[in-house]
Each structure stands twice: as structure tokens, then as C-alpha cells.
Amino acid sequence: MDLPLIVIRRMAIGVVTVLVVSLLVFAGTELLPGDVAQAILGPGATPESIANIRARLGLDQAAHIRYMHWFGNLLHGDMGTSLVSGREISVLIAERSSNTFLLAGVTALVAVPLSVLLGLIASTRPNGRIDKTISAITLTLISIPDFLVAVILVSIFSVQLGWLPALSTIRPDSNFLELARMLVLPVTALSFTVIAHMARMTRTAVLNELTSPAIEMAILKGVPKSRLLLVHALSNAIAPIVNVIALNLAYLISGVVVIETLFNINGLGKLMVDAVTTRDIPLVQGCAMLFCAVYVLLNLFADTISIVANPRIRHPK
Amino acid sequence: MNSNNDILQVQNLCVDAIDRHGKTMPIVCNISFSIAPGQITSLIGESGSGKTTVSLATMGYSRPNCKISKGKVILQDEDLLNLDSSQIQQKRGSDIAYIAQSAAAAFNRALTIGAQVTEVAVLRGLMTRQQADLRAVSLYNQLGLPNPETIGRLYPHQVSGGQLQRLMAAMAMMCHPKLLIMDEPTTALDVTTQIEVLQAFKRLIREQKVAAIYVSHDLAVVVQMADDILVLKDGRMVELQSTQNILDNPCQEYTRMLMDAVPQLQLPHISHQPLTAAAAAAADKLTPDPVEKCRLENTVRKEANSDVLLTLSNVTAAYGSNTSTVLKDISLKVNLGETIGIIGESGSGKTTLGRVISGLMVPSNGQIEFQGRVLNNTCKQRSREDLRQIQFVFQMAETALNPRHRIRQILGRPLEFYLGMTGRAAEERIVELLDLVELSAEFIDRFPRELSGGQLQRINFARALAAEPKLIICDEITSALDTLVSKAIIELLINLKNRLGIAYVFISHDLSTVAKLADSLAVMRHGEIVEFNKTGNVLTPPHHEYTELLLDSIPKLRTGWLEEVSGLVYNPV
């Protein structure tokens, strides 16, 4: 099959994924216990006022009609308005996403090169002393929940030593130095989790290549060790490495609720958690769809790279 | 043999294997030989004899979990084993070059061929990129590769196996090495391709005065290539002599055994059924009388119809969206208890034919009749009884047998599935089956990994026998085995065929092996059967042109054959 055709097909799968997720998100929020009208009006509301609100919000219509309405608006970029604040959801999300993207971006910049490097180093001498040390450390870090890591970091660097702030409430007027100081701890805590995963996967992927006959051949034809690793092994291990990186980046965007809450960063995760507690259904749905889009896009990107990196597809017979 | 101008001298070389607990065990011991410029020394032996280990050790390399423990590898007055790893890495690629068994696996699939061929020369600064590219093109020319100017821009998957093997030779010769090591360089190739590659290698070695080591288990090929032969067994030298001496009077019993195991075609072969032979000869296009031909063909048909087991009529099959047709209009008949040999080179469609018969692949056209009934095309739609009657034996027993099952389970499963046999009855039957394939009852509780390659293939075959089928399809079941082991398996098959009256479809690329076993031969090429006849007739001259090419391409167990064969081509109009 031709390269463009494969990529287009992959994109189509992405679109279908978004569609299915939108159904699941909508159905999931339908199942949430409690009634929005009740939540808005409080315990003293009369049945009439509740019915009024329900009619105003369109909650009295059948579910599939509401879904069509909601998804149709979503396609136009209209995510609706927040039930609690009455503000446009797209504006709310835009405000918060800059913080999340900053946190995720800085973490990615630190974690991705570091984990690929650690994975490569570990794979040069499998089961050697360095490999075992890296394995032990990454395994330990992956096993400790991120909130515990964060709490430990805070208690050491903020409480005991007082070097860094315990809260990272990013304001528009924060200057670069403040920003940097605020980001150190959350970025470190997040990095620990993702580095462990990415480094281990890189090690496995490269090691898999290093035991192939092609690498033995490269050794026997006199290729120096560094080139062996960086050109011969890595060029074949790109696909699995890119895929695990994409998965972790998606996690950084959508799964950092705990870290955001702990450090009081006003990001998307925190926005969603707040929306859930206030039964702000449209906002929950909006956040969920954004996370879904990020996942789909990043995985699409990773798959496209793996497809392009495969010479069998790039240059068919 | 030990003159002063030898390029390579190996003295008392020993290699140890190291197990998980750090314990060492010698796998190769006290190997000594030397090679003069332009000469080829061959290492032969069965798998596990240590021939690859020795050849790698002459490059100062040992596989993970192995260690060169003793000895000297002197390349032009310098002991390679005294060098540190970066010094020795400098020697590889320039002074010593290596050609691996499977070029398809040894080339990096993510880089272009040209980049890999010229890589080390440019990296070391021995040549500029332009010089290296020029040198590569001239080597491609010498090796008879198509489009030498542009072939370097392709990726490994874009060229054929034979071309890739020659490209690896070009990669090896790039920096004018003094020592060239070839590890089974033609085992993965078809016989017709093998000749060209062998000739190209030999010419290059003679012209460039390279000392070469040629590792192989195939004695007939070795005889064509080697000046001296070193026979190895269990990591020890059995004997080292000139090729002619080995052929004329081998000193050791083991060498004689190896030579006897080389499958030899007995040509010509007088058939026991004169009528059929005459009929088949008439069917040959060389006898022009159409009336006579028709009459005799009918005789054959009538005789065959009496107990036909399997009939394929006009079967066509393709992979993907009909873009590559691998079987074109195949018609074939197999009688009860008859063995049909399917011969062909890679890509001829012989394996696909086996898969279509067994229902593993769906033909796009045509039909398959079994015992007078039309069979469903896919094995999913076939009844359990139909499945039982046709069994398939795969080439690689290691991958076909579940490594986590004991032999009891492996053989017990078809007994239960097809025949409803369990418990005591099944156990007795398993022992019987083991006995049929000449294994003792104690194997019943072993795991596949505890068995040798030959034993595994016997179990693989016993699993097919367990279903008590009428037809067994054997796909290259001896091609991964050593000559001695393969010979024993063929003898077993012949023995069982006579005792049990099972029909075989025996698929192989190796004409000499099939000829021993098959009643009839079907020669396939590009998805078509070019010749189908009784084995004796196929092998009796005059041959069909393509069959003749195949026959002529089989290396003969005598020196000088490679120099005599030339211009073997088949161009059907």
C-alpha cells in the first residue's frame, strides 16, 4: 500500500476514535449521580423551579437529541457555557491549558532526552552494574505513586531546606525566575514517573535490536561501538520509542490532576476535577474531549513517524 | 601447508561457553590451521560442531556468553587475540571481512545498501565518499549485479536474496581484506542462484589473493570451493587435508559418514511400471504423435482413477488483492498411498500449494476434491473428519511445537481432538507413535527444548501421524537439518510409507532428497507446474528444460564441477 494511503487510513481511525470517545464521554456523564438543576438550586428548591431550570438547560430533551446537539456544536468549536460560572467553556479551557502545556512541555523537554539517554546507556551493557542501577532506580520510581514522590520532594526541598516554593500558583505576571523556581518540584515529580517508563521501553527496544544478526554483522564489519548504538540499533528502534514517548506526553497533558492539585497549579486537570465536584457537566465533557483529542493526535503523530521510518513502506518493492 | 607466507595462522584455539552461574565449558578445543593468499580452507561439520564459533574466533570475536580462552590467531605476524577491543575493531572491515549466513538478516533494514557497503571505508577515512561509491560500483559489476550504478540506493528489502548475498560480498571486499570469512553464504539461496554466487566469490578470492575461510555443512558445495578441508566434530578437529585427499581417501570414519550422507541422485532410474513410463514419455512434448499421446494419457488416467485420493483442478491463488498470483491453474492428482514430490525454487509457489490443499490458504479459483468429494476451501469450514484426513508437517519443528507442552500433551492433543482418545488408551497410543518415529517411550515426559533438531522433527511428524490421516503434507521438513539427520528422517519416512500406506505431498527445494522418496515429481516454477511425471521419468533424459537446469545446478561431489558449469539459464518462450 502507498504511504499516503496508509497515513490517511490511520487518520480515519483517529476520527472514529474521537467519535466513539465522544459517545462514551456523553454516556458517562449521563450516568453521573445527582441532578444538575438540583445541584445549582441547592436543597431548598421547589419542584417547579427545578423543572424550569431543566427546561432552560435543555435537560428535558431525550439523550440522543442532546448528544447530536452537543456534538454538532463541538464540531463548530462551540463547547457550550459552564453551568456554574456561565462563562464560555472554550475560554475557560484556553486560560487553563497554557499552564498545563507549560508544565507538560518543560517536563517533556527534561524527561524525553534524559530517558532515551538512560535507556541507551542501560542497553550498552545489559545486566552490567550501570544497567542494574538504572533498572533499580527506574523501577522504584515507577512503583511509588506520584503524589508520594511530590510530597517527599516538598517536605525535603520546601519544608526542610526551604529552597523552593511548595505551591506553584502561576500568575500571568510571574517573571521567568519565579516561574523556573515554581516549576522545579512539579516537573521533577512528573519526570520521575514518565522517565521510568520511557527509559525502560527504550532499553528494551534497543536491546532487542542489539541482539539481531544485523548488529553482529555490523560489529564484524568494524563499525565502532557508538555508531553501532546510535545509527544501527536506534534507526530500527525508532517506532517503539516514539510510541512510548507519545503515550507519556499524552499522560502529561491529561493525567496530571494529582500533581496540579498538590502544587495548586491552575491547569486543565484541576479545572476538570473542580467541574466534577460542582456537577458542571458541559465543562467535564469539554475537558474530556480535549484530552481525547490530545491522545488521538499524539498517537497519530507517533504512528505516522513509525510508518515513515519503515523503509518497507517508504520504498515499496 | 605451513609455509611462511601464510596470511592466517590459527594455533591451538579454544573457546569456552560461560553459563549463567559463571561456569565455563569448552565448546571448541585445540584448533590449528593456516591459509595462504588466494587459498580457501573450509570448515565443515554438523550443527554444534563449532564451525561458526571457530570462524568468528578468527576475527577475535566470540558471541555473548562465550570466551576465547586459549590459542593464537596470527594475521600477518600479529596475534589478534593480544589486541584490545578497539584495536581489533579497527582490523575488522578492513583487514578481515565477514560474510554472514543470511544476508537478509545481516543487512540493516533501515539503511540503504550503498550506505552499508561503503560505511566502514568512509568512516575509517580509507576512501572519500566518491572513491568508496566508485569502488562499490566496480565490485557490483564484478559480482554480476544488475544496475550497478543505482542498486546502492535501494533498501535491502528491494532486492532478491541472491543479490543481497552478493551485495554482502561487495561489502566484505570493499577495503581489500586479507582474510575473508564466509559462514554458509549460500545456504539460503536456490541452487541455480548458488552457482553464480559461488563462482563470483571464488573468482574474487583468487584474483585479489585473499585468504578465505568457508564454513558450511554442505560437503558438495565445500568441495567446489575449498583447497583444504577441516572436518570438525563436537568442537574438535577430526581431520585436515586437501580437498582431493578428503574425497579420495578420508582418514576418519566420521568424514566417510558425512560423505555418504550427501544425497546423490541415481540417474537414470529405470521405472518398474513400463506402461506408465511409456505413457509419460509420450506425454512429454518431445514425442510429437498426438494420437498415441492421447491413447496413453487415457491409460494413465484410467489407472489413476481407480484409487484417487486428492484431485486439484485448475487451482489459482494469490496473496493480497490478486496483485501477485502465486499459483496459476494448478491441476494435480494424488493416489492413495502415493508420494508426490513438489520441487521448485523459492517463490515457485510450492509452499502455497501445500497451504491450499490443507485449507490454510483460500484459492481464488478452482476446486479440491478429496476421496471424490469437493472440499471446503478454508479449514474453518472443513469438518473435523476432513481436517483429520489431511495433516501438515511444518519445516521448523522448534516453532511448530509448543515449548511449554510436554511430548505427552503435544501428541495427546490430536488423539483427543480427532479420535476422542484419552487416559490409558491415549498414553499407549503415544508410546506407539513414539515407537513409529523410532523414539523411546521415555521421551513422553520431555519438553521440546530437551530434544535435538532431528528428534523434534520426529515428534513433529508423529503429531501428524497421531491423527491417522490419509495424506500428510511435508513442507521442507528436512531442510533445516544436518545431512546425517536429514538422511535418517528420509529413511524413516520411506519406512512408514511402506508400513502405513499414507500418501505424502513432499515439498522441497532439494531434488536429490525428494527423488529418494517420491513416486511422482511435480516441478514448479513461477506458480505453474512445468513438469509432472513419475520420478523415474523426470530423472531420465531427455529432461524438461527447467528440470534439466535444476538437475545440472546441484553441486556434484567432485572437484572442478563449479568451473565446468557455466551459462545455466532457462528462458522459456
Side-chain angles (χ1 to χ4, degrees), chain A residues 209 213-214 216-225 227 231-233 235-236 309 311-317, chain B residues 56 59 61 63 89 92-93 98 100 105-111 116 119-120 123-124 155 157-158 168 171:
Chain A
E209 286 306 320
E216 182 172 77
M217 181 69 217
I219 295 174
L220 292 175
K221 79 175 197 188
V223 176
K225 199 153 190 185
R227 192 174 160 82
V231 177
H232 285 260
S235 61
N236 284 300
R312 275 174 189 277
I313 299 177
R314 225 173 341 131
H315 305 275
K317 272 192 180 178
Chain B
L56 291 176
M59 306 187 72
Y61 179 80
R63 293 225 160 113
Q89 198 64 359
R92 292 178 190 150
Y98 180 69
F107 267 98
N108 190 326
R109 58 188 188 276
L111 307 173
Q116 298 184 58
E119 181 178 15
V120 170
L123 214 61
R124 298 262 167 79
Y155 282 87
H157 70 274
Q158 292 173 297
M168 191 154 56
M171 183 157 82

Side-chain angles (χ1 to χ4, degrees), chain A residues 152-230:
Chain A
I152 293 172
L153 284 174
V154 167
S155 72
I156 295 174
F157 293 97
S158 308
V159 180
Q160 307 266 324
L161 298 170
W163 291 351
L164 295 162
L167 295 180
S168 312
T169 319
I170 300 165
R171 290 189 187 80
D173 57 343
S174 309
N175 65 30
F176 182 76
L177 197 69
E178 283 173 356
L179 213 58
R181 274 170 53 85
M182 278 192 278
L183 282 176
V184 172
L185 287 184
V187 164
T188 313
L190 272 178
S191 296
F192 280 173
T193 338
V194 292
I195 282 178
H197 190 199
M198 288 190 285
R200 291 188 69 79
M201 286 302 288
T202 306
R203 173 186 181 272
T204 313
V206 173
L207 214 53
N208 205 8
E209 286 306 320
L210 282 178
T211 50
S212 72
I215 292 295
E216 182 172 77
M217 181 69 217
I219 295 174
L220 292 175
K221 79 175 197 188
V223 176
K225 199 153 190 185
S226 55
R227 192 174 160 82
L228 205 65
L229 198 65
L230 295 176

Side-chain angles (χ1 to χ4, degrees), chain B residues 349-566:
Chain B
K350 54 190 192 300
T351 292
T352 311
L353 183 61
R355 292 172 63 86
V356 165
I357 296 173
S358 63
L360 287 170
M361 185 168 164
V362 183
S364 54
N365 224 331
Q367 73 175 24
I368 306 163
E369 270 178 63
F370 189 76
Q371 297 182 311
R373 241 167 2 90
V374 177
L375 276 184
N376 274 317
N377 281 340
T378 66
C379 41
K380 268 188 194 159
Q381 292 166 354
R382 289 188 187 171
S383 69
R384 191 170 289 198
E385 181 57 18
D386 284 343
L387 292 177
R388 182 181 75 78
Q389 296 286 11
I390 303 178
Q391 291 290 313
F392 202 106
V393 184
F394 292 93
Q395 175 179 1
M396 305 293 280
E398 294 93 326
T399 50
L401 301 177
N402 190 332
R404 299 206 179 272
H405 283 179
R406 293 177 196 277
I407 304 307
R408 179 196 303 276
Q409 252 174 307
I410 290 172
L411 296 182
R413 173 69 184 149
L415 289 178
E416 192 189 334
F417 183 77
Y418 291 119
L419 309 168
M421 243 188 233
T422 48
R424 187 76 164 274
E427 174 122 4
E428 279 167 15
R429 179 65 184 150
I430 292 170
V431 174
E432 255 177 61
L433 286 168
L434 286 173
D435 187 52
L436 273 179
V437 295
E438 293 159 15
L439 294 174
S440 69
E442 65 192 53
F443 280 90
I444 194 163
D445 278 319
R446 300 219 187 141
F447 285 103
R449 63 164 181 278
E450 298 170 84
L451 272 60
S452 72
Q455 290 167 341
L456 279 176
Q457 199 55 278
R458 283 166 194 265
I459 296 292
N460 203 16
F461 194 74
R463 182 170 63 172
L465 285 179
E468 297 177 17
K470 289 251 165 53
L471 175 70
I472 298 184
I473 301 163
C474 305
D475 187 6
E476 299 271 16
I477 61 168
T478 59
S479 56
L481 302 175
D482 285 319
T483 332
L484 284 172
V485 184
S486 151
K487 188 184 171 197
I489 295 269
I490 294 293
E491 277 161 8
L492 170 75
L493 255 61
I494 295 175
N495 175 12
L496 288 179
K497 172 184 146 187
N498 297 336
R499 275 170 68 186
L500 307 175
I502 301 171
Y504 298 129
V505 170
F506 194 89
I507 299 165
S508 176
H509 67 282
D510 182 1
L511 193 49
S512 344
T513 308
V514 182
K516 281 188 173 177
L517 184 71
D519 302 310
S520 301
L521 285 178
V523 182
M524 290 190 70
R525 183 169 185 275
H526 293 341
E528 287 170 291
I529 294 182
V530 294
E531 185 178 16
F532 180 46
N533 214 325
K534 294 279 174 215
T535 305
N537 295 326
V538 172
L539 299 181
T540 314
H543 307 290
H544 180 278
E545 271 181 83
Y546 181 64
T547 312
E548 183 154 323
L549 171 73
L550 286 181
L551 284 169
D552 288 348
S553 304
I554 302 170
K556 307 290 178 288
L557 199 53
R558 60 180 168 84
T559 51
W561 171 80
L562 187 65
E563 282 71 20
E564 291 160 22
V565 285
S566 60

Side-chain angles (χ1 to χ4, degrees), chain B residues 123-141:
Chain B
L123 214 61
R124 298 262 167 79
L126 298 171
M127 297 174 205
T128 64
R129 173 140 293 285
Q130 283 83 359
Q131 285 172 329
D133 286 340
L134 280 177
R135 163 107 180 117
V137 170
S138 91
L139 280 168
Y140 300 156
N141 256 321

